[in-house]
Amino acid sequence: MVERDRDSAGRARNARPRDRLGRPLPAGSVGVARIPDDLDLPPQQTLSFAQQLLDAGLAFNAHEVLEAAWKNGPLAERSLWQALAQLAVGVTHVQRGNPTGAVRLLTRAMSRLTAYRPDGESMPYGIDRVGLLAHAESLIATLAAGGEPTADDLRPRLRS
């Protein structure tokens, strides 16, 4: 049986270093800094940190920051944070050269963003739902047309 890395609670955790796109590297390699599994930031700090990572081309790390908010945040906001995490991992798939996976995740993110507060209430924390939906839609169209996304296409703006 293969031994797996585990955290202090016994949950499986991959301790191998990762590259800029979140792919595991061989043990002993130098990778990018990992996002702590127990990250728990207030919403505004989460969005700021995730945006910094997106702007630096580290969409996988941004996804991990947003995923932490999804898993640690209030139940009423989980679908919102899940949508943002899916948007970031959709960008990660583009960066990894996987347009099919990117379209799948971007579409899921759009569905969740659209369903969150469908009555038109404003989004919390200054999140730019309209801009994010337009950004994801444009990125999907570029991929569907076989185009090559630009660097700006891979840096969605989380807040207006």
Side-chain angles (χ1 to χ4, degrees), residues 36-55:
D37 291 327
D38 60 351
L39 184 69
D40 191 10
L41 299 173
Q44 293 292 2
Q45 286 181 340
T46 295
L47 290 167
S48 293
F49 189 22
Q51 189 66 63
Q52 289 171 352
L53 293 165
L54 286 167
D55 292 345

Side-chain angles (χ1 to χ4, degrees), residues 3-34:
E3 282 295 313
R4 296 183 70 187
D5 297 325
R6 302 214 174 259
D7 66 13
S8 60
R11 291 183 299 266
R13 298 282 185 221
N14 188 336
R16 286 173 46 193
R18 293 185 178 265
D19 70 7
R20 291 182 56 80
L21 304 180
R23 296 175 295 210
L25 295 169
S29 299
V30 177
V32 298
R34 298 285 300 265

